[in-house]
Amino acid sequence: MSKPEKIVFIGLETYSLMGGLQQFNRRFIKALANRAAKNNGTRPQIVLRRDQTSDMPTDVDADFRPCGTSVLRMFHEAMVAARGADILVAGHVNLLSVLTACSVIAPRAPRILVVHGDEVWGDPVYRARKPFDAPMMRRLDRVVSVSQFTANRMAKTFGLSPEMFSIFRNAVDEIPSPDQTQPKQPNILCVTRLAEHDHGKNVDKLLRAFAVLKTQNLEATLTIVGDGVLRHGLEKLSLELGISEHVRFTGRVSDKSLAAAYSSASVFCLPSEKEGFGIVYLEAWLRGLPVICGDRDAAQEIVSGGVDGYIVDPSNIEEFASQLGKLLAQTETAREMGARGRSKVEAQYLMPHFENQLKSILDSVKA
């Protein structure tokens, strides 16, 4: 009789913050716990840096090892957890050294690295290459990427074989279908971080495209949800463009307020060039909204141009504004695009699909 499967997941802060990486990690850990319960496996060992014991969930059947800010404690907890491990998983490239150390304790366990986006693009603005990145990466058994775009850029940057990669799409939780029978006011919604390194979200270009629409006397408002050091400059730009009375910066909001913002919107727009996946587009589709994304990152793999949204060159402000104007003016077309987006989410991007992807990848590395 084979021994119960033991999986170790090593991650950065997961329950103390909220963001795309944290949402993915929470879903991944829950899927590991579900897999263990289904297969009578050992509870997954979850080692988390910068999380505290008080942050840990009570509704996930896993053995949590929060390590706070101590690097030494993280190495210690990870290596203790790795004893007898069947699979080792690191949830971020910055944890490669911890994963490598664990492989000494569990030399036969396949090593998996999960990557998300700009952290492995080799761009010094987001994360510069480090001397030992490539050698440690070449010892991995699998790199799990949330998009083909990120897999291609990482393979080129670090000289890795494309065969090392598996694509693992993100997911969202299903919510009730929105009521599309009530007409909405033309309101564009953008949900994004506005941190120091988020110039590539191109919110400034969205403001400029919106300003073009206002010169055409198109009645609409723009709501920007999110906060960070870029906010002040963007607010100043909206004043300079003469659109500030039609633009609302909300800052960070509660889940309830975010749901209300989606409910009142008629179009979702994030013309980013730095999305490793773009989970916000899925969240918008769940609410029946058509979306606009940029043409320079992984969002192109998710959005079907002309079907459930538009893909734009964010630097071409006139064309960007034209596509945005179409969605605002052609309300029935916009509604149909949003409905097709929701159907896509239901078919490809919910928790059952996430768990099936995980099963396929873990089973293949053990084979």
Side-chain angles (χ1 to χ4, degrees), residues 16 34 47 56 66 71 82 90 98 108 113 123 131 134 148 174-175 177 195 209 239 241 253 272 278 280 338 351 362:
S16 59
N34 290 346
V47 183
M56 298 301 98
V71 175
V98 185
R108 296 185 179 180
L113 172 67
D123 189 331
Q148 190 64 56
E174 190 169 13
I175 61 173
S177 296
L239 280 168
L241 294 170
V253 299
S272 180
V280 286
M351 188 62 174
L362 295 181

Side-chain angles (χ1 to χ4, degrees), residues 188 202-224 234-247 249 269 314 316-322 324-325 328:
I188 305 160
N202 290 325
V203 179
D204 60 325
K205 295 179 175 62
L206 171 57
L207 290 172
R208 295 184 187 281
F210 184 67
V212 171
L213 294 180
K214 299 308 290 183
T215 65
Q216 300 169 358
N217 297 317
L218 183 66
E219 290 299 322
T221 58
L222 170 60
T223 300
I224 298 172
L234 292 168
E235 289 176 327
K236 182 180 178 182
L237 177 60
S238 71
L239 280 168
E240 294 171 354
L241 294 170
I243 57 174
S244 60
E245 64 181 291
H246 304 286
V247 180
F249 289 85
C269 184
N316 187 338
I317 301 299
E318 292 294 331
E319 180 60 24
F320 180 5
S322 174
L324 194 53
L328 291 170

Side-chain angles (χ1 to χ4, degrees), residues 134-208:
M136 287 191 290
M137 288 176 183
R138 293 190 187 105
R139 298 182 63 189
L140 295 168
D141 295 279
R142 189 70 53 88
V143 179
V144 171
S145 172
V146 297
S147 67
Q148 190 64 56
F149 179 88
T150 288
N152 292 345
R153 286 197 62 166
M154 181 179 177
K156 182 178 180 180
T157 298
F158 297 100
L160 305 177
S161 169
E163 284 70 35
M164 289 184 66
F165 291 83
S166 289
I167 306 304
F168 190 160
R169 307 291 186 187
N170 214 324
V172 288
D173 293 325
E174 190 169 13
I175 61 173
S177 296
D179 180 4
Q180 299 285 39
T181 62
Q182 299 299 318
K184 293 183 177 181
Q185 296 298 314
N187 178 23
I188 305 160
L189 175 64
C190 178
V191 179
T192 183
R193 291 189 315 266
L194 299 175
E196 180 181 1
H197 297 310
D198 287 326
H199 290 281
K201 300 287 187 177
N202 290 325
V203 179
D204 60 325
K205 295 179 175 62
L206 171 57
L207 290 172
R208 295 184 187 281

Side-chain angles (χ1 to χ4, degrees), residues 26 38 85 87 105 120 146 203 241 296-297 311 351:
R26 293 178 188 189
K38 183 177 180 179
I87 300 176
I105 304 298
V120 290
V146 297
V203 179
L241 294 170
R296 303 179 183 181
D297 58 22
I311 303 169
M351 188 62 174

Side-chain angles (χ1 to χ4, degrees), residues 88-90 92-93 95-97 99-100 103 109-115 133-144 154 160 163-165 365:
L88 301 170
V89 185
H92 195 279
V93 66
L95 299 170
L96 267 175
S97 57
L99 184 64
T100 301
S103 68
R111 287 157 287 179
I112 299 173
L113 172 67
V114 182
V115 298
D133 279 347
M136 287 191 290
M137 288 176 183
R138 293 190 187 105
R139 298 182 63 189
L140 295 168
D141 295 279
R142 189 70 53 88
V143 179
V144 171
M154 181 179 177
L160 305 177
E163 284 70 35
M164 289 184 66
F165 291 83
V365 297

